[in-house]
Amino acid sequence: MVGLIKAESTYAEWTFPAEPDAVRTARHAVRDALGVWRLDHSVRDTAVLLVSELVTNSLQYTRGPIGVRLAVVPVGPADLTGTALLVEVSDPLPDPPTARSPGPDDEGGRGLQLVACSARRWGTRRGNTGKTVWFELPLPG
């Protein structure tokens, strides 16, 4: 794991090799960073769950490195600005993820549905070397 945490600026970034323990390592890195930033437990738990889902998706389809970035960002009109936690998960595969409609007995296929239901906003974008799936979680206060 290659990582950067700037607790004073509420920005963190890591690159994980596409190996089976990447999900666990990403989960711990995100939980630790959000703990340093003293974010609400419900935001931390939701962010960790969604990062886990997105890193798992990346592992299923790519062999390249997986990037995870966290940042606290302003949201809303200038006179009513609040903040949100922006989370980005990147991998070298250029194709955007496809939402599936899993059956009741399917073990997978719910990750993007979980992101869509839990995040304030979410989306995907292509980059020069792959894609990024991102989501925002509103921060209290």
Side-chain angles (χ1 to χ4, degrees):
M1 169 179 77
V2 176
L4 167 70
I5 293 182
K6 292 186 175 183
E8 70 281 356
S9 66
T10 56
Y11 175 84
E13 180 175 6
W14 303 271
T15 301
F16 303 99
E19 297 174 353
D21 69 339
V23 177
R24 179 182 50 82
T25 307
R27 244 191 337 256
H28 287 287
V30 168
R31 183 174 303 284
D32 291 349
L34 299 181
V36 168
W37 299 346
R38 299 178 191 259
L39 295 187
D40 182 79
H41 285 285
S42 65
V43 171
R44 278 190 245 175
D45 292 344
T46 301
V48 167
L49 173 65
L50 299 182
V51 164
S52 180
E53 291 293 332
L54 294 178
V55 171
T56 298
N57 284 352
S58 290
L59 274 177
Q60 287 181 317
Y61 301 106
T62 187
R63 294 185 184 180
I66 299 166
V68 176
R69 286 181 291 283
L70 308 174
V72 174
V73 297
V75 295
D79 58 340
L80 297 172
T81 299
T83 56
L85 176 65
L86 173 65
V87 180
E88 300 177 327
V89 177
S90 303
D91 64 49
L93 189 68
D95 302 323
T98 304
R100 298 186 339 203
S101 297
D105 295 329
D106 290 343
E107 290 186 18
R110 292 175 182 81
L112 288 179
Q113 291 175 355
L114 196 55
V115 171
C117 290
S118 302
R120 182 176 89 74
R121 297 185 323 142
W122 77 281
T124 63
R125 68 175 181 273
R126 286 188 182 194
N128 293 334
T129 60
K131 69 159 172 320
T132 299
V133 180
W134 60 270
F135 63 87
E136 286 180 357
L137 298 174
L139 296 177

